[in-house]
Amino acid sequence: MTFGYTGKFLEVDLSTENIKEIKFDDEVLGEYIGGRGFAAKILWDRLGSKWETINPLGPENTLLFLTGPLTGFFPGGRICVSGKSPQSNGVVGSTVAGEFGVELKCAGYDGIIITGEAEKPVYLFIKDSDVEIRNASHVWGKDAKQTVTLLTKECRGLLKKRFPHYGEWKEPSILYVGPAGENKVRTAIVGAKWTHAAGYGGYGAVMGSKKLKAIAVKGTGPLPEVADMEKVKQLTQVICEDVYENELWRRWGTGSAGYEVGATTSSEPIRNWQEEWHDEKSFGVDKFENRVWIKPYWGDFGCPTTCLKIAMVKTGRFKGAITDNPDYELQAYLGTNFGIFTPEENVFLSSLIDDLGLCGIQTGNLLGFVGELFQRGILTKQDLDGLEPKWGDAEAFAALARKIAFREGIGDMLAEGTYRAALKIGEMKNVDVLQYAVQCKGISLGAHGIRSGKDYPEIISYACSVQGGDHTSVACLPLDDSRSELIMIFHDSAVYCYFNIFGIPRNLKFEFYKAVTGLELTQEQWVNTKALRILQLQRAMLLLGGPDLKWKPKIHDENPARFYEPLPSGPYKGKTVDKAKFEEDKKRYYEAVGWDENGIPKSMVLRKLGLEDADKALEKLR
Amino acid sequence: MTTKKEPIWIARDFSKCSGCRKCEIACSLFHENRIWPEASRIRVFMLVPGLEFPHFCAQCEDYPCVETCQVKALSIDSKTGAVLVDEEKCTGCAQCIDACPGRVPHMHPTENHILICDLCGGDPQCVKVCQEGKWNVLKTVSKKNYAYKLYARTPEEITQDLAVKMYGELGEEFL
Ligand code: SF4
Ligand code: SF4
Ligand code: SF4
């Protein structure tokens, strides 16, 4: 058995209620590592031969919760959620911070594989090797805060009853869905704590489709044995000492960017990306810090950065709203993107989005899109059930978010996410509204524009990514650049928070991997072989698509139309993406990763990586 | 930090706790040479997200746990003032848990004996990491003649107070 792993996975079939433990060969662990890499491998092996026919929201989808060998050891614990994505029809490795991955490993499992669908709402309760499927009817319909509170109480009660002599039980770690996930909204998250989200991919909807409200896990064992504990301690110290020096990053996290990215790099979504520049000092970091923060450092297992903050609105209409202080993404997508520039309104919207179990990025993008259609008179008050989402009107956007989460009225159509809603609205109104949809392959873009060239410099960032608009996994050259998707695959497969690596030598993560697993891994091996193999599998599944949508690289390896409009304001006014340059860059990227001129992974490349069956499956697309 | 000779106490400022759980990692590495949150003598509770705090022994001035133990498995370290567990003698009867006003002790998850903070012999590892990270929740101080027992409180009681401190009136509803 390889160090760093428990060696066991838990598999639960919700249709038959069959629960079993399974194992993977050491060789597979070594090649695919864990998390995102493992997700690609498991999904391909199990569903690859019929991928196109699999409905992500049907019982045939497989839902995964995967740790990696570094989870719990490398500072900043996370868990990777995956499956066939109801957004892209491909595979997204969607990670969320918290103790879940650590508890799971301490319970003796490297991951959980969920198949089938329950008849009635259920949750899983795992206490070491005791695994139960429990009734969740009483928490179905509950929001994030209520769900976590109720299940924490219930599970602690069970532990206390079953182990009366243990002493006080710490809470189990819980992953859950809110109402949006239950209602299979494609922008629904898998949540942790009250505020953390695995957003990209839409796996909250997959959990909802399986009627799986939550998973609670309490592991009482130690983390698995490692190859060299002294080395793990020493490398941890190197990372922490570096992080502790970076006080501004610790203090503000990504939150300082809500002002900076708009004012300086001019790449922040404003009113659905009609602009990317603002100079609203009312949205500066000091305003958040001094008006709404009630805890300045908040973090998850083993994290030296603790970049989160807890925020609460203290005054005005939205008094009492609580959330983690909106990070950059949510300051942008639930703030500037709606023409909102006050911390209070931004915190209120973030808190509501948490409660509903929606993704702030995907839903903020979707609502911004609706805002623009309203601005243009394409969607009217009548279409929107009497609502008028004017820029700056937090209440109107909040009302729409609620409709989406519960699929009420217009919310039912919007719950399909920006891309699918755009197709429907376009048909209904007979207008091309896709030009206003800022997304890529069904996944809305993170809040980093590419037009100014000062933030995300690569104009193929999203167009060529196997995770579409995911801003944490973008395409770039050279392939071993620290921002490259192939490097991100390492973080997402070893499963830890990459916010803790900014100041440390690039090789340290591979040294850490060796200290934990005992296995040698060089950056070259990783990028040219292992990561590339994972990338090809993700690309293959993305292109094979699903029953409702398929992507054609010629059409869909493309930027949103908006990015070809010149920036209308700010220091980079007039700048835009040059289409000819984009085509050139795309061609270079295709060549570097081994895709043919049509964007299909080349036969020779796949065979060399040992992916013969993927090669065969892609034959029909060539 | 040098090991203190006189009795010490770990001052605690719960509302600053980041929830990083580095204290759990440090404590379990020191005592078990594993990362093992449940075997840590200091445990970070999160009954309400955002209200994390470390739960560990307060070295009550009258040591009710030591008093209650029938088999004399618990004793007081004359050097540091910590409660020491004799792992051989301890029968795992759990009476010290009931005797403790904060229900602080808990069972070792795999061995049949209780776990109580031993102050690491005078050089608390949890304090070290909490200080390094500048969270300043934990701080070693000299033990004086104070009512330390007031800090021996159950996770529910501590959470309830923190909820009100952080969230005001709203905090009353969260448990
Ligand atoms: S090390 Fe300090 S801040 Fe971190 S969890 Fe422990 S007490 Fe809280
Ligand atoms: S806090 Fe509890 S365990 Fe510590 S001395 Fe007091 S009674 Fe004993
Ligand atoms: S002082 Fe030592 S034994 Fe006590 S909680 Fe801290 S690390 Fe654990």
Side-chain angles (χ1 to χ4, degrees), chain A residues 173-433:
Chain A
S173 189
I174 300 172
L175 293 180
Y176 61 88
V177 291
E182 294 171 10
N183 296 319
K184 293 182 250 188
V185 174
R186 285 184 203 257
T187 65
I189 58 146
V190 175
K193 306 196 179 176
W194 280 357
T195 57
H196 296 9
Y200 285 119
Y203 297 112
V206 178
M207 263 180 95
S209 74
K210 298 192 175 304
K211 295 201 187 60
L212 179 62
K213 175 70 177 176
I215 305 180
V217 54
K218 170 50 68 191
T220 65
L223 282 179
E225 296 268 16
V226 298
D228 185 348
M229 187 52 104
E230 284 313 309
K231 189 80 184 163
V232 168
K233 286 191 211 167
Q234 183 223 322
L235 294 173
T236 301
Q237 201 62 19
V238 172
I239 296 167
C240 292
E241 275 166 21
D242 173 74
V243 168
Y244 295 149
E245 282 309 299
N246 195 346
E247 181 56 24
L248 286 188
W249 178 249
R250 294 185 81 203
R251 188 166 187 89
W252 292 338
T254 64
S256 62
Y259 174 75
E260 288 284 338
V261 173
T264 312
T265 60
S266 189
S267 53
E268 184 162 5
I270 293 156
R271 301 174 196 91
N272 198 37
W273 299 90
Q274 295 181 87
E275 287 180 83
E276 295 186 27
W277 171 76
H278 77 86
D279 190 22
E280 298 284 347
K281 299 190 175 61
S282 59
F283 217 48
V285 68
D286 64 309
K287 285 283 178 198
F288 282 91
E289 185 169 350
N290 293 319
R291 292 182 73 86
V292 294
W293 288 11
I294 54 173
K295 179 179 264 194
Y297 299 101
W298 192 39
D300 304 280
F301 193 84
C303 183
T305 306
T306 54
C307 71
L308 305 171
K309 293 91 201 34
I310 298 183
M312 176 172 172
V313 178
K314 295 294 182 84
T315 166
R317 276 188 299 175
F318 305 123
K319 191 173 161 180
I322 298 166
T323 180
D324 56 341
N325 187 66
D327 66 340
Y328 167 64
E329 288 294 320
L330 296 205
Q331 284 181 18
Y333 261 129
L334 301 177
T336 62
N337 199 43
F338 300 159
I340 283 171
F341 297 94
T342 75
E344 278 79 2
E345 288 167 312
N346 186 217
V347 168
F348 157 67
L349 285 166
S350 294
S351 170
L352 176 74
I353 288 287
D354 294 342
D355 287 349
L356 297 171
L358 285 165
C359 172
I361 297 176
Q362 301 293 304
T363 316
N365 175 288
L366 166 66
L367 290 174
F369 168 72
V370 173
E372 182 170 354
L373 297 186
F374 180 74
Q375 169 202 315
R376 292 182 185 277
I378 298 169
L379 284 178
T380 62
K381 184 176 171 181
Q382 206 178 355
D383 294 323
L384 297 169
D385 306 334
L387 292 170
E388 296 181 273
K390 294 190 188 116
W391 300 124
D393 186 342
E395 307 256 28
F397 286 104
L400 275 173
R402 287 190 199 97
K403 281 186 174 290
I404 290 170
F406 292 98
R407 282 188 177 268
E408 281 167 18
I410 184 74
D412 190 33
M413 186 190 286
L414 298 179
E416 293 300 300
T418 304
Y419 182 75
R420 288 171 177 81
L423 294 181
K424 288 193 179 170
I425 295 167
E427 212 171 277
M428 182 174 92
K429 296 286 179 177
N430 208 12
V431 191
D432 169 26
V433 298

Side-chain angles (χ1 to χ4, degrees), chain B residues 16-23 44 54 126 129-130 135 137-138:
Chain B
K16 284 194 193 140
C17 177
S18 69
C20 74
R21 294 155 173 92
K22 275 187 167 293
C23 47
V44 177
C126 53
V129 287
C130 193
W135 295 290
V137 180
L138 306 173

Side-chain angles (χ1 to χ4, degrees), chain A residues 8-12 17-21 100 103-109 112 123-134 155 158-164 169 172-173 215-221, chain B residues 109:
Chain A
K8 283 182 304 181
F9 287 72
L10 182 66
E11 177 158 354
V12 179
E17 304 210 334
N18 185 26
I19 299 171
K20 62 181 178 196
E21 287 178 357
F100 191 91
E103 290 278 5
L104 191 62
K105 283 174 96 166
C106 290
Y109 300 109
I112 307 173
Y123 76 97
L124 272 190
F125 180 39
I126 303 167
K127 192 270 169 188
D128 299 326
S129 54
D130 296 332
V131 181
E132 319 164 49
I133 301 172
R134 294 180 60 87
C155 294
L158 288 169
L159 289 167
K160 204 167 184 161
K161 214 163 103 196
R162 292 175 191 174
F163 307 93
W169 279 95
S173 189
I215 305 180
V217 54
K218 170 50 68 191
T220 65

Side-chain angles (χ1 to χ4, degrees), chain B residues 8 10 23-24 26-28 30-31 40-43 55-57 59 82 116-127 138:
Chain B
I8 54 170
I10 298 174
C23 47
E24 289 183 347
C27 185
S28 61
F30 186 75
H31 292 92
S40 171
R41 282 72 170 158
I42 183 168
R43 294 185 301 157
H55 194 237
F56 63 115
C57 176
Q59 289 93 28
I116 300 178
C117 164
D118 64 3
L119 289 171
C120 299
D123 185 14
Q125 303 295 303
C126 53
V127 174
L138 306 173

Side-chain angles (χ1 to χ4, degrees), chain A residues 74 107 191 231 271 333 348 413 415 449-450 469 479 569 578 584 604:
Chain A
F74 198 99
K231 189 80 184 163
R271 301 174 196 91
Y333 261 129
F348 157 67
M413 186 190 286
I450 57 175
L479 293 179
S569 57
D578 177 352
E584 249 170 60
M604 206 180 64

Side-chain angles (χ1 to χ4, degrees), chain B residues 57-60 63-65 83 100-101 104-105 116 152:
Chain B
C57 176
Q59 289 93 28
C60 306
Y63 297 95
C65 53
V83 176
C100 174
V104 171
I116 300 178

